[in-house]
Amino acid sequence: MPAMQTKAYKGIGMEGRIAKWYAANTRKDLHEVTALAHRLAGGLAPGSEVLEVAPGPGYCAIELARAGNVRVTGLDISATFVDLARKNAAAAGVEVDFQHGNAAHMPFASGAFDAIVCRAAFKNFSEPVLALKEMCRVLKTGAKALILDMRGDAPNEALDAEVAKLNLSAVNSFITKWTFRLMLVRRAYTRAEFVDFIRQTEFTSSDIRETPIGLEISLVK
């Protein structure tokens, strides 16, 4: 695999109505997001600087700001998502610094963050190795990045079971299954691909765990 793999974005751009549709449907069940936010907050010291890469509508970043005494920043390439996330944070009464930018070219100083989380987004990055290198760069020495995403070899049965948990309407369920099967899983990376990507960075250690449809990747600088 080339050292600096890139790929064009082949999915539906998350702007405008598509982004708003996604935000409305993912808002309906935030149990997993809330659990993740509390899990992350529990491992952070008060005052920690946390970056969520590609926060979308901002639900996880907002819950993280609620859950712990930490400062949260979000970076997303979608201008629509940044706008939605800022409005959602204001409505929730929490302070999160949502910024517009590219994960492969982050507008942050080296060693700026105590932790990074990237949830359900890495498969869409056009420059995956550069994105990982940037995560490593902006982390403090010894700090951790956590990536959670779909895996490229996820079976259809597991994908359908995951959609069923969302309690969507019949129409939205069909659209979501179609999106999972025909777009998202085809964009996703396998464990072997992540191993190759990580080898090209300066992360000192990694742990990759499989879930029914995804990967949970822990990286330490």
Side-chain angles (χ1 to χ4, degrees):
M1 189 171 295
M4 299 298 285
Q5 177 179 348
T6 64
K7 61 181 180 181
Y9 189 86
K10 297 178 182 177
I12 300 173
M14 284 292 187
E15 293 287 1
R17 292 181 180 179
I18 295 296
K20 292 176 181 179
W21 172 85
Y22 177 90
N25 279 281
T26 53
R27 182 191 288 273
K28 294 177 181 179
D29 185 3
L30 297 180
H31 174 75
E32 179 186 346
V33 169
T34 302
L36 174 61
H38 282 272
R39 171 185 159 194
L40 293 171
L44 295 170
S48 292
E49 296 281 353
V50 185
L51 171 65
E52 183 175 7
V53 180
Y59 301 137
C60 184
I62 290 167
E63 289 302 320
L64 183 56
R66 279 174 166 166
N69 181 19
V70 297
R71 290 188 289 270
V72 184
T73 300
L75 182 72
D76 207 289
I77 201 167
S78 164
T80 303
F81 273 151
V82 172
D83 182 60
L84 288 172
R86 288 172 177 170
K87 290 177 180 177
N88 288 334
V94 298
E95 184 176 346
V96 180
D97 181 17
F98 289 109
Q99 298 187 29
H100 184 230
N102 190 331
H105 306 280
M106 296 188 191
F108 307 119
S110 299
F113 296 99
D114 298 286
I116 289 176
V117 61
C118 178
R119 175 183 172 273
F122 196 92
K123 60 184 165 293
N124 293 322
F125 294 169
S126 61
E127 300 172 291
V129 175
L130 281 178
L132 283 175
K133 287 185 174 183
E134 278 291 86
M135 289 183 193
C136 189
R137 180 184 68 80
V138 303
L139 276 174
K140 296 177 181 177
T141 300
K144 180 186 291 186
L146 179 65
I147 300 171
L148 302 106
D149 209 345
M150 190 177 294
R151 55 188 175 93
D153 55 355
N156 286 337
E157 296 80 5
L159 294 172
D160 290 348
E162 194 68 21
V163 173
K165 295 178 184 178
L166 300 177
N167 297 316
L168 303 175
S169 67
V171 171
N172 281 330
S173 179
F174 173 81
I175 293 172
T176 305
K177 285 182 181 180
W178 177 87
T179 302
F180 272 25
R181 290 188 178 196
L182 301 183
M183 185 172 72
L184 299 185
V185 77
R186 295 182 181 183
R187 300 283 304 164
Y189 298 109
T190 64
R191 179 191 186 103
E193 287 176 309
F194 263 107
V195 168
D196 182 72
F197 296 159
I198 295 165
R199 284 175 180 162
Q200 299 175 56
T201 72
E202 295 183 3
F203 282 109
T204 60
S205 66
S206 63
D207 179 64
I208 303 177
R209 301 182 182 182
E210 293 188 1
T211 67
I213 70 167
L215 296 171
E216 181 173 314
I217 302 148
S218 296
L219 305 167
V220 178
K221 180 174 178 178

